[in-house]
Structures are given as C-alpha cells and as structure tokens.
C-alpha cells in the first residue's frame, strides 16, 4: 500500500474528470526556475521604471514594490491552496468553478477563463515588446544613419514570437533544461547590473531621497493619486508567477509540490528584487536626462547605462542586454508555453473549437493552441 498521502498525478486527474494527454517533463526545480524566467521581476522594472519615477518618484517605486510583493505573496498563498486540490492546467477558472454556487458556476468560470487567457496573452505581448524595443534601442544608439521606423519594430516582434513558438512546439522535451539557462541569465544579470550601477554611478542620491522622494508629473493634482499610479510599474513586475499553475499537468507530484513553487517564486523574487530596486534608486539622479535621451522613453534602462558610461557601446549593451537575451532563450518560450496551456485547457472544456484542444502525438504539445496564442500576440 502506498504510504503517500497524495493520489498519483494520473489518478488525481482522473478523479477530476481529466485524462493525461501531456507528458510530465517538469519537476520542482525546473518549474520554479521557469517562474523566475516568466515573471522576470527586476528586468520588468527596467522597462517600466520611467512611469513610476514620473508619477510617484523614488518612494513610489521602492515602497510600492514592497507593497506589491506582499500583496502578490498573499494571493500566491491563496492560490497555492487551490492548486494543491485541483492541479490542472486551467488554474484559476477551475478554482472558480469548484467554489462557485452551482447555478452560477458555468458563467463565472467562463468569465475567469477569458480574463486569465487575455491577461496572459497581454502579459506575454508586453514582455516580447519590451525586449524588441530594447534590441531596437541598441540600433538607434550605435548605428549611425539608422532611421527608426515602427514597421521595423513589428518585424522584430514577429521574428521573436515565431522563434519562441517554435521552441515551445519542438523543444518541450528540453525546456526543463532551458529553464536552468534562463535562471542563470536572470541571476547573473541581477548581480551585474546592481554592482555596475553602484560602482559607476556618481554622484548618488541620499538615503532620505530614495525613501521619501515624491515626484508628481502625472497631471493629477493629488500626490496620492500620482503615487498610486506609480505602483503600476511595481505591480507589473510581479505578474506571470503562476506559470507552474498552468503546467500542473506536466509536472511530477503536482499536488504536493505545486503550492511550494507558486508562493516560493513570489517570495524569492520579492526578497531578491527589493534591494535591487533600492540600489537602482540610489543611482538615478537625473530622471529628465534619461527620458530626454534618444531612447529614454522606449528603453529607459539602456539609456541610463548609456548616460552613466558616457556613451560607451560595450558597457551599454553588456550591462543592459540581459532582458533581451532572456526573452529570446528561456522567458519567451516559457511564457508562450504557459499561455498555450490555458487556451488548450479552455478548448478541452468545449469553450473553444475542439481542434484547439488536441495534443499532437509526435511533439506531445497542443500545437494549434500555441499557434493561436502566437497569432493572438501578433494581432
């Protein structure tokens, strides 16, 4: 007799009325690493910090990040409880279906499913767009005679999305190994950017400025409203940590280990990123110099490194490239994979055409769901 207090993965799925068409390629380590790669907390702040600095200032970014991290952790604890009971790819909409009154179950879970689906598609698009703009910022800064055109951005974005979709389709058997590369890039970039900024940025802001500065260039008369708007940058950096939830049917011992992955990803990301945010605020002494630079509005972090280094090409690209490299290697394919599983699960329920809910027997992935997600992001 099995002395485990948990059913086997297949037995639990069968008890929930689901079969096991996907292979379980992931474990605790690979999925928590994937969570780091998809939430890319400090990397997201580099692309969204301009808004926070203009609408709230340093205090909004520092204390706003701390508040956002605590809020995200509370949500993660709550969802972890449900995930241990209902470890399915549908995630949130399955939890809503289980907890709703029978009379409203179908309607509320349908709403939750569409909200989750579009939130992931929009989040994935934001990540791809950010890395695309950062790549293009290097061309603007260091290619003499280059004239920026919006259709150039579209072509780079299309190439990146197609590339990540191809990895999601043909590389699923190796994606758990790819997450190890992704978390290495994530941590090396974390240390490199923080140390380089602290060593090279002179002069630095005072501790009082970092903790209390409140800048209101939002157009709102209320400083409180401006400060709250500045929270959006921090909140954006704490999304997509529920990756593992939507890959629950592809991990081993999901009921036991999935909750630890969900809240562990948020906790570790919050603890690591908070000192990084503080270090960043010590080093940004002239916000207008960043925003008025050639690429300040499209890629503020490369502009910051460009300004501090005096326009040095190697320093600018070498210190700020981690977001783009991560997006093309591990983060992009991971986001594409997680988003496609939500769409696949939704189609399996009959809410989308049945053909989208099929798993290709050669690649062991829902190819049509991945293609639909790719097309949704390009649209």
């Amino acid at each position: 007799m099995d002395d485990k207090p948990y059913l086997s993965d297949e037995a639990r799925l069968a008890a929930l009325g689901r079969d096991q068409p996907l292979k379980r390629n992931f474990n605790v380590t690979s999925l928590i690493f994937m969570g780091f790669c998809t939430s890319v907390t400090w990397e997201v702040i580099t692309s969204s910090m301009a808004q926070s600095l203009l609408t709230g200032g340093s205090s909004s970014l520092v204390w706003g990040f701390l508040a956002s991290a605590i809020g995200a952790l509370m949500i993660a604890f709550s969802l972890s409880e449900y995930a241990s009971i209902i470890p399915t790819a549908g995630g949130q909409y399955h939890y809503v279906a289980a907890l709703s009154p029978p009379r409203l179950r179908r309607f509320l879970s349908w709403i939750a499913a569409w909200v989750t689906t579009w939130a992931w598609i929009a989040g994935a698009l934001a990540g791809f767009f950010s890395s695309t703009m950062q790549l293009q910022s290097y061309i603007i800064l260091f290619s003499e005679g280059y004239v920026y055109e919006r259709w150039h951005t579209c072509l780079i974005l299309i190439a990146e999305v197609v590339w990540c979709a191809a990895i999601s389709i043909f590389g699923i058997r190796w994606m758990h190994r790819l997450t190890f590369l992704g978390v290495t890039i994530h941590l090396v970039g974390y240390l490199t950017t923080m140390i380089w900024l602290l060593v090279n940025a002179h002069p630095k802001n005072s501790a009082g400025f970092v903790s209390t500065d409140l800048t209101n260039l939002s157009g709102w008369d209320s400083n409180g409203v401006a400060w709250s708007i500045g929270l959006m940058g921090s909140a954006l950096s704490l999304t997509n940590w529920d990756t593992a939830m939507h890959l629950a049917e592809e991990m081993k011992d999901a009921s036991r280990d999935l909750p630890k992955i969900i809240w562990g990803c948020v906790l570790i990301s919050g603890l690591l990123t908070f000192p990084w945010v503080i270090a960043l605020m010590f080093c940004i002494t002239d916000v207008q110099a960043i925003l008025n630079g050639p690429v300040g509005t499209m890629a503020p972090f490369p502009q910051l490194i460009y300004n501090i280094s005096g326009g040095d090409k190697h320093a600018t690209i070498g210190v700020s490239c981690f977001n783009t490299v991560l997006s093309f290697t591990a983060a992009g394919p991971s986001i594409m994979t997680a988003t496609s599983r939500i769409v696949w699960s939704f189609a399996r329920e009959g809410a989308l055409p049945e053909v989208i809910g099929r798993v290709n027997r050669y690649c062991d992935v829902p190819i049509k769901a991945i293609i639909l997600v790719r097309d949704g992001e390009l649209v």
Side-chain angles (χ1 to χ4, degrees):
M1 181 177 178
D2 189 357
D3 59 357
K4 283 188 177 182
Y6 301 95
L7 295 172
S8 69
D9 296 313
E10 291 76 9
R12 182 168 288 277
L13 273 183
L16 295 170
R18 305 287 183 273
D19 56 6
Q20 180 68 63
L22 298 170
K23 293 187 180 295
R24 295 186 178 269
N25 295 308
F26 300 98
N27 55 26
V28 174
T29 304
S30 57
L31 275 186
I32 199 168
F33 284 176
M34 184 178 285
F36 294 144
C37 292
T38 54
S39 58
V40 285
T41 311
W42 72 263
E43 293 93 336
V44 171
I45 290 177
T46 64
S47 59
S48 63
M49 64 183 184
Q51 176 178 317
S52 298
L53 293 174
L54 288 174
T55 57
S58 177
S59 66
S60 179
L61 194 54
V62 171
W63 303 118
F65 177 82
L66 181 61
S68 297
I70 293 173
L73 185 60
M74 296 302 102
I75 296 171
F77 279 138
S78 178
L79 291 178
S80 296
E81 185 73 19
Y82 303 136
S84 67
I85 303 170
I86 313 172
T88 61
Q92 291 91 329
Y93 81 83
H94 279 153
Y95 311 155
V96 171
L99 297 172
S100 299
R103 185 168 54 90
L104 300 174
R105 181 171 298 158
R106 295 174 68 88
F107 173 72
L108 293 178
S109 61
W110 184 84
I111 294 294
W114 276 115
V115 169
T116 304
T117 299
W118 282 110
W120 265 90
I121 290 176
L125 179 59
F128 289 131
F129 189 74
S130 172
S131 60
T132 297
M133 296 296 284
Q134 186 164 309
L135 182 61
Q136 199 164 11
S137 73
Y138 300 143
I139 303 174
I140 294 172
L141 288 173
F142 301 114
S143 293
E144 186 176 352
Y146 172 72
V147 178
Y148 168 73
E149 297 287 351
R150 292 183 177 181
W151 63 269
H152 297 171
T153 306
C154 292
L155 289 179
I156 298 172
L157 179 63
I158 291 170
E160 181 178 5
V161 170
V162 171
W163 165 256
C164 293
I167 296 177
S168 184
I169 292 172
F170 301 109
I172 190 63
R173 293 179 180 86
W174 303 281
M175 193 168 292
H176 66 289
R177 295 187 179 91
L178 197 60
T179 62
F180 286 78
L181 172 63
V183 81
T184 300
I185 297 170
H186 179 68
L187 293 176
V188 170
Y190 169 85
L191 292 173
T192 300
T193 53
M194 182 165 61
I195 294 172
W196 191 92
L197 284 170
L198 290 175
V199 170
N200 291 279
H202 300 289
K204 293 182 176 65
N205 292 315
S206 66
F209 178 89
V210 170
S211 60
T212 63
D213 170 62
L214 201 163
T215 301
N216 183 3
L217 299 176
S218 64
W220 291 84
D221 294 331
S222 170
N223 288 334
V225 170
W227 195 91
S228 299
I229 294 173
L231 290 174
M232 293 179 64
S234 297
L236 183 63
S237 70
L238 289 158
T239 57
N240 292 349
W241 46 260
D242 56 325
T243 305
M245 195 183 304
H246 304 296
L247 291 166
E249 297 180 36
E250 296 170 70
M251 72 169 292
K252 302 168 184 175
D253 298 317
S255 294
R256 183 190 66 192
D257 295 333
L258 184 56
K260 294 182 288 187
I261 297 173
I262 295 172
W263 64 258
C265 178
V266 179
L267 179 62
I268 296 173
S269 293
L271 290 175
L272 283 176
T273 307
F274 187 55
W276 187 90
V277 172
I278 294 174
L280 178 68
M281 291 303 98
F282 270 105
C283 298
I284 298 180
T285 57
D286 191 344
V287 176
Q288 293 300 329
I290 298 173
L291 298 180
N292 294 332
V295 297
T297 55
M298 64 187 297
F301 193 66
Q303 184 67 59
L304 170 66
I305 305 300
Y306 182 85
N307 291 353
I308 293 175
S309 67
D312 184 87
K313 177 180 179 180
H314 299 95
T316 302
I317 297 177
V319 176
S320 66
C321 69
F322 296 96
N323 181 27
T324 300
V325 173
L326 186 59
S327 182
F328 275 88
T329 54
S334 297
I335 291 176
M336 186 78 69
T337 299
T339 309
S340 69
R341 298 312 189 260
I342 305 170
V343 173
W344 166 75
S345 180
F346 202 23
R348 182 177 57 176
E349 307 292 344
L352 292 172
E354 184 267 340
V355 67
I356 299 173
R358 296 176 186 170
V359 175
N360 183 277
R361 62 176 180 170
Y362 298 107
C363 297
D364 295 320
V365 295
I367 291 180
K368 294 181 177 62
I370 295 172
I371 293 173
L372 181 63
V373 169
R374 180 203 65 184
D375 293 342
E377 289 166 356
L378 293 178
V379 171

